[in-house]
Structure formats: C-alpha cells, structure tokens
Amino acid sequence: MSLNEIICKYDINQTKYSIKIKEIIKHKFGEKIPKAFVKTYGCQQNVSDSEKYKGMLSQMGFSFTDSQNDADVILFNTCAIRENAENKALGNLGWIKNIKKSKPDLFVIICGCMTEQENILEKIKAVYPFVNLVIGTHSAHKFPEFFYKAYQKIHKKIYISEKADVVPEELPIKRDSKLKAFVSVMYGCDNFCSYCIVPYVRGRERSRKPENIIEEFKCLVNSGYKDITLLGQNVNSYGKGLEEKINFPELLRRIDSIDGDYKIRFMTSHPKDATHELFDVISESRHIAHHIHLPVQCGNDRILKLMNRKYDIKTYLEKINYAKSKIPDLTLTSDIIVGFPGETYEEFKDTLELIKKVKFSSLFTFIYSPRSGTPAAKIPDPTGKPEKTKRILELLKTQEEISKNLCSEMVGKKMRVLAESLEPKGGYIMCRTDGNITVQIPNHKEIIGNFVDVMITDSRNESLIGKLI
Ligand code: SAH
Ligand code: SF4
Ligand code: F3S
C-alpha cells in the first residue's frame, strides 16, 4: 500500500457522530454541560494525541475538569514504555472502580500505547470489566464513531485495536497552551532498539506530507504561538515513503522560512540519522533553537550493539564535535538507560565518562525495564535492582555537578528568553532559554508570552536566575 492510500483526512462522518453524541448528551444532561477528565501518561506524542482527543470531546459537547470525581467521562491515554508507566495507569483504574460504584453512568475510556498489547487488553477485560471503550493508537481518528457506538448503550463495551498505519489529518485539536505547541511530523518507528516497545505499539514509520505540516505550522504562528516542537519518534528519518523526495533538514529549511517571531524545536533525534546537514541547517536558521536532544542511551559500544542502536561512541562524539563547531552555544540533552541486561559496572563507568566529555545540560535517566516481546527481555540479567539503583544515583550525582557548572558559566551573560508563565508561589516569571534552560526573573506580568532580553545574575543546579534588561 502506498502512503497516499493510508493518509486519512478527518472524515466528515466522524463530525456526524460528534453531532449525534451532542444530541444524546443534551437529552441526558439538559442545560448542564457534562465534564471530561483526561489523564495523559508518557511522552510528548501522547500529550499531543490527548490534545486531539480533547479536541474531539469538545466537538462532542464536553467541557473539562481536573478532578476525576467530578467527571462524567474519564479518558486515560496510556504509555507502555516502562513497567512503572503501566502500573501507574492500572493503579489509577483501580480507583475508578470505586468511583464507578457510586456513579454507574460514568463512561471510562482507555487509549494509547498500552492498549496495543494483547496481554494488556486481556487484563483490562478480565480485571477492569467496567471500562466502556478501549481504543488503540491506530484508531484515534475514529474516536467519535466508537465513542458513539459504546455510549449509545452504556453496557455495550467496545475494544478496538486495529493495526492500520494511518496518517490522520485535520483532527480537531484543543491545545493545552496558547504559547507552546506540538506538531507531529511523523508517526511510528522502524528502529526496533532491542529494549523498546514503541515500534510494536505505534507501528511503522509514516510521515505527514510537508504541505500539511507547513499549513499547520503557519496557522500556529499566525495565532501567536512562540515555541513550536516538531514531533516524531525519530524525526531524522522524516520523509521515508513520501512521493516527494524530502528529508528532515529540508523540512526544517521550509518551516524556518515562515516569517514571524517564534522558535522551532524538534524531538526526538536518533543519533544514527543525525547528519552534518541537520547541524548546518540549525546553524544557518533564523528560528531553530540551539538545543538538540540526542539520546545516547549508554556510553559503552558492546551495550550499544546489544541495544541495536546502530552507532558507536566514536561516531556519536564525532557528530557532537561537528555540531558544537557549527553552533558554539549549542545545548545538548540526552536519555540514558542504566542496567541494560548484562551491563557490568566497568561498562556503566563508560557512560559516566561519556557524560563528562559531552557535558549535557540535563539528562533523562531510566533503569532498564524489560518489555515483553522485545529481544532484550530474553537476555539474562544477573544484576539486581539495588545495584542498578546505586548506578543511577551515581549517574545523577555526576550529572548534577555537570549541570551546575554549565549553569554557573552562564552567569553574567545576556540571553533572549521566552517569558512563559507566572509562578504563583514564588511570585516570579518562568522563562526559557533557547537551550531549554529555565530562568526565573522578578515578576513583570506584562511580558508573559513574549521574547525578552535578560541578564543572568545567578545559577541554581539546573536553572538560572536573571533580570530584565
Ligand atoms: N524515540 C526516542 C525515545 C523514545 S522513548 C529515541 O529513540 O530516543 C524515551 C526513552 O525511554 C528512550 O530514549 C529510552 O531512554 C527510554 N526507554 C525506552 N525503553 C525503555 C525500557 N525498556 N526501559 C527503560 N527505559 C526505556
Ligand atoms: Fe524506541 Fe529506538 Fe524507536 Fe526510540 S528509536 S522509539 S528508543 S525503538
Ligand atoms: Fe510511552 Fe507510547 Fe510515548 S509507549 S513513551 S506514550 S510512544
């Protein structure tokens, strides 16, 4: 099947279902507007999907609440990346069971990555039979239809987990912020890192057409959005399978040519596909932030090979050195997995060495979590949890020192930052640098939503203090 065949516009029929649902809830609730509670687990991709679910719920006539006790509809958008992500969602479902006892009409929806696993689907059916609708990551664009079918008759349950790799377009979106936005450029992942569940639950890589991305981006800039993140599990393989020959750096060039006062960010970049061309585009651009999140996962070549990451540390460092030569004020962040099966303490020390060499501004660190069905889950893992915890603490301590030093080197510098929000407790404004570091400045409410110049006056561990110039 060519990609053109699987691109799917938000079907007019879906809007028809939304209208039908609106009529049903008007009949059921009268003048009262029913409320939906949406809880998101996992990565930015899920945050972005939840904004689409909220867009569709809003079209159906629901308003939103932050309290699950207050809700008429509860939607959990789940994540399967590590065991604890799954446990959090299942634990919360246990709570819903109690609410449902006193509120039998409560409509419960489970969607997201967890639901694409057969064993989880079985578990939901067996342990949480009160769930009304389960909808997989591939079927989100048909949400109103399945919602309608399950809602019409509250006791009829629907479990839908299709394997079609679609590229949904024009879904209604209710964005959480008026300043920062996500734009998906591609879905799915073809990399099959040996520890990772994402390719199994999100399907194969498929890219959106550049014209659709650019249209959405222009619309955001015209509506005043200032910080826009392009999303994909591996944005650097953008373009694969499209009729038009286009790669990610070229997409960035086209977006960068849109006039306006805004920043472009993107995540995530797989190091094997991060090319010199990518760093050249960043250094030549008007709008791309001087920050790159480049997950290295670990600092040892044997483990990287077992992880199926397809690069070694020498290549990774060569790319970083090139990037720093082109973009001297570049900030780097990364993801690290500690305790991959069979990782020795000596091999773990290579990760410590690597982070000291690269000097990331911050790290997302995880203890390896076996995912059923992935190749790594079959590798013998003799290292116990206490040793892995010791290693991650050592990693965090080493990183703390690096972040602290990097931040203290910024004191005395002038920076352009985006004033994002008022911190009600501290009474200061939270700003963000181009390199994604937070800066607190004294309260000047009027600057929120704008880029402003600040002088960095002091530093904390991973953040900065400044004042308006
Ligand atoms: N596509 C992105 C990230 C996807 S998931 C990338 O390739 O970088 C985000 C992070 O979760 C990964 O970078 C990895 O560090 C971590 N992760 C993925 N699977 C994991 C597992 N089984 N156990 C622990 N951490 C994991
Ligand atoms: Fe998972 Fe690897 Fe794909 Fe990232 S690139 S989503 S870590 S398989
Ligand atoms: Fe989790 Fe799915 Fe993202 S597994 S990390 S929500 S792609």
Side-chain angles (χ1 to χ4, degrees):
M1 201 193 297
S2 83
L3 193 72
N4 277 347
E5 288 168 70
I6 58 174
I7 287 194
C8 105
K9 296 256 176 201
Y10 187 61
D11 192 339
I12 188 80
N13 280 327
Q14 295 300 319
T15 313
K16 280 188 199 151
Y17 283 114
S18 296
I19 294 168
K20 284 186 189 180
I21 297 162
K22 217 173 184 164
E23 281 162 11
I24 296 175
I25 61 174
K26 186 143 197 1
H27 188 250
K28 185 170 171 188
F29 292 93
E31 286 311 301
K32 181 185 161 237
I33 297 175
K35 292 183 195 135
F37 170 84
V38 175
K39 168 103 182 143
T40 311
Y41 301 85
C43 66
Q44 278 85 353
Q45 188 61 63
N46 253 19
V47 174
S48 169
D49 288 351
S50 285
E51 291 185 337
K52 290 169 188 153
Y53 280 113
K54 283 187 220 166
M56 290 184 272
L57 283 165
S58 185
Q59 203 179 51
M60 295 170 191
F62 290 94
S63 63
F64 296 92
T65 170
D66 292 333
S67 150
Q68 45 191 39
N69 291 319
D70 227 20
D72 303 289
V73 167
I74 289 184
L75 181 148
F76 284 171
N77 193 6
T78 61
C79 168
I81 202 81
R82 284 167 291 273
E83 197 187 358
N84 59 2
E86 291 191 340
N87 287 345
K88 266 190 220 158
L90 293 175
N92 240 334
L93 259 184
W95 279 106
I96 305 300
K97 197 176 187 170
N98 296 330
I99 305 179
K100 187 113 178 179
K101 268 185 205 149
S102 57
K103 213 175 177 183
D105 263 8
L106 179 68
F107 192 74
V108 182
I109 307 157
I110 311 295
C111 55
C113 296
M114 255 173 87
T115 66
E116 291 289 349
Q117 303 170 99
E118 209 55 54
N119 59 330
I120 295 286
L121 208 53
E122 290 312 313
K123 189 166 185 171
I124 293 173
K125 284 181 191 170
V127 186
Y128 310 98
F130 57 86
V131 171
N132 301 93
L133 173 62
V134 177
I135 183 160
T137 57
H138 297 81
S139 317
H141 59 289
K142 291 194 205 152
F143 178 57
E145 179 181 340
F146 296 125
F147 188 108
Y148 171 74
K149 287 178 179 163
Y151 198 69
Q152 218 186 3
K153 209 168 158 219
I154 203 87
H155 298 298
K156 187 174 152 196
K157 297 179 184 16
I158 293 192
Y159 301 101
I160 175 97
S161 165
E162 295 176 332
K163 285 290 169 230
D165 284 341
V166 295
V167 181
E169 290 292 348
E170 298 178 13
L171 261 64
I173 306 179
K174 189 179 182 300
R175 300 193 188 267
D176 292 339
S177 158
K178 296 218 175 319
L179 205 56
K180 295 163 85 172
F182 294 121
V183 174
S184 293
V185 300
M186 45 113 49
Y187 302 98
C189 179
D190 287 353
N191 288 313
F192 289 94
C193 301
S194 66
Y195 49 81
C196 183
I197 196 76
V198 172
Y200 306 88
V201 295
R202 286 271 174 184
R204 297 290 63 74
E205 279 176 10
R206 51 226 187 259
S207 299
R208 288 178 72 194
K209 286 185 173 182
E211 56 269 32
N212 290 336
I213 298 170
I214 286 165
E215 198 182 301
E216 184 177 344
F217 204 98
K218 273 187 187 160
C219 197
L220 289 168
V221 172
N222 291 338
S223 317
Y225 281 86
K226 295 275 192 271
D227 186 302
I228 305 170
T229 303
L230 307 177
L231 282 185
Q233 290 301 340
N234 176 14
V235 288
N236 294 324
S237 62
Y238 172 77
K240 249 205 278 178
L242 284 180
E243 247 162 56
E244 184 186 353
K245 209 172 165 298
I246 177 169
N247 64 8
F248 187 59
E250 175 55 23
L251 178 72
L252 282 175
R253 264 186 217 108
R254 290 189 199 173
I255 295 175
D256 188 55
S257 70
I258 298 169
D259 286 328
D261 192 18
Y262 64 89
K263 278 279 161 209
I264 306 170
R265 300 183 188 275
F266 53 88
M267 74 185 306
T268 301
S269 283
H270 193 304
K272 81 173 162 60
D273 299 315
T275 56
H276 285 192
E277 189 189 0
L278 173 73
F279 303 122
D280 293 345
V281 171
I282 301 176
S283 76
E284 289 154 13
S285 76
R286 298 185 294 168
H287 299 107
I288 307 175
H290 287 186
H291 165 232
I292 185 159
H293 182 64
L294 203 58
V296 65
Q297 310 300 355
C298 84
N300 177 272
D301 285 343
R302 188 186 78 89
I303 300 294
L304 280 176
K305 209 168 167 85
L306 285 174
M307 287 177 162
N308 193 30
R309 289 290 286 180
K310 299 193 179 81
Y311 54 82
D312 57 18
I313 291 303
K314 189 164 165 269
T315 325
Y316 185 84
L317 287 174
E318 185 276 321
K319 290 188 186 201
I320 299 274
N321 288 339
Y322 182 82
K324 283 183 176 170
S325 75
K326 282 284 174 166
I327 317 151
D329 62 342
L330 182 72
T331 6
L332 289 145
T333 51
S334 201
D335 293 350
I336 304 274
I337 297 179
V338 171
F340 185 82
E343 180 196 63
T344 64
Y345 183 68
E346 286 307 309
E347 288 168 334
F348 163 71
K349 282 207 316 211
D350 289 341
T351 302
L352 295 181
E353 282 316 303
L354 178 81
I355 67 161
K356 285 184 204 157
K357 251 187 218 153
V358 179
K359 297 200 176 84
F360 297 106
S361 63
S362 67
L363 286 182
F364 297 89
T365 57
F366 312 102
I367 291 185
Y368 167 75
S369 168
R371 304 286 62 214
S372 143
T374 61
K378 297 189 191 88
I379 306 176
D381 189 3
T383 313
K385 185 87 190 281
E387 171 60 23
K388 291 189 184 190
T389 307
K390 225 175 85 192
R391 287 182 198 174
I392 204 169
L393 290 174
E394 192 173 351
L395 179 68
L396 288 171
K397 197 159 166 263
T398 310
Q399 180 56 39
E400 206 179 285
E401 204 53 36
I402 296 166
S403 305
K404 214 164 139 182
N405 287 340
L406 280 178
C407 282
S408 67
E409 281 167 19
M410 289 178 194
V411 176
K413 287 194 176 150
K414 193 180 130 186
M415 289 187 178
R416 190 159 181 264
V417 297
L418 177 62
E420 288 186 353
S421 57
L422 172 70
E423 279 303 309
K425 275 191 198 143
Y428 51 80
I429 305 283
M430 259 272 304
C431 308
R432 192 168 299 273
T433 69
D434 204 71
N436 216 20
I437 297 174
T438 54
V439 186
Q440 297 174 1
I441 63 167
N443 188 355
H444 302 274
K445 247 189 191 155
E446 71 288 354
I447 65 166
I448 292 179
N450 294 296
F451 288 105
V452 289
D453 288 324
V454 297
M455 174 63 74
I456 305 301
T457 52
D458 203 353
S459 68
R460 301 261 160 89
N461 289 342
E462 278 194 21
S463 64
L464 301 166
I465 314 285
K467 62 172 190 214
L468 261 189
I469 295 178

